[in-house]
């Protein structure tokens, strides 16, 4: 019975990895986005993927209480007269 549980977890991990690759590719994502995609009971599979170094865990961005924190895919230079994306690559 122990092996059946193991292979069940392995199958769920593979299925979750397929969902992550399809929807996020190599971009960072958060658990609530998996919820929005309709994923259920995925925490053990997600932990398995992190523990086996298949995906990397990134902690939430934290700052001073009451301030704003943002994360962008590109570096943006704000000038007095314009905004310029200075890290534009093939994915933009």
């Amino acid at each position: 019975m122990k092996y059946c549980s193991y292979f069940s977890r392995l199958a769920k991990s593979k299925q979750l990895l397929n969902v992550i690759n399809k929807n996020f590719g190599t971009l960072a994502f958060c658990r609530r986005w998996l919820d929005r995609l309709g994923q259920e009971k995925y925490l053990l599979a997600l932990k398995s993927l992190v523990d086996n170094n298949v995906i990397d865990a990134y902690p939430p961005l934290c700052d001073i209480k009451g301030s704003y924190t943002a994360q962008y895919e590109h570096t943006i230079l704000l000038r007095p007269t314009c905004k310029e994306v200075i890290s534009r690559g093939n994915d933009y």
Side-chain angles (χ1 to χ4, degrees):
M1 194 52 110
K2 189 186 231 182
Y3 296 111
C4 183
S5 172
Y6 171 77
F7 287 116
S8 175
R9 271 187 275 148
L10 183 62
K12 182 64 176 170
S13 295
K14 286 183 178 183
Q15 182 270 332
L16 182 63
L17 183 59
N18 287 335
V19 169
I20 291 168
N21 285 334
K22 178 182 174 189
N23 290 281
F24 309 114
T26 58
L27 298 176
F29 63 93
C30 62
R31 285 180 15 199
R32 77 171 171 267
W33 295 352
L34 293 172
D35 293 334
R36 290 178 187 165
L37 291 172
Q39 295 300 301
E40 297 177 342
K41 300 179 183 177
Y42 59 83
L43 291 179
L44 193 58
L46 185 61
K47 182 179 179 339
S48 174
L49 291 172
V50 171
D51 290 347
N52 290 301
N53 296 319
V54 176
I55 60 174
D56 294 319
Y58 293 98
L61 297 174
C62 297
D63 203 352
I64 300 168
K65 186 175 180 178
S67 68
Y68 293 100
T69 303
Q71 179 177 348
Y72 293 94
E73 295 177 34
H74 298 287
T75 303
I76 301 170
L77 179 61
L78 300 175
R79 298 181 184 223
T81 57
C82 67
K83 300 171 198 117
E84 181 180 354
V85 178
I86 58 175
S87 64
R88 193 172 311 213
N90 296 335
D91 63 339
Y92 187 73

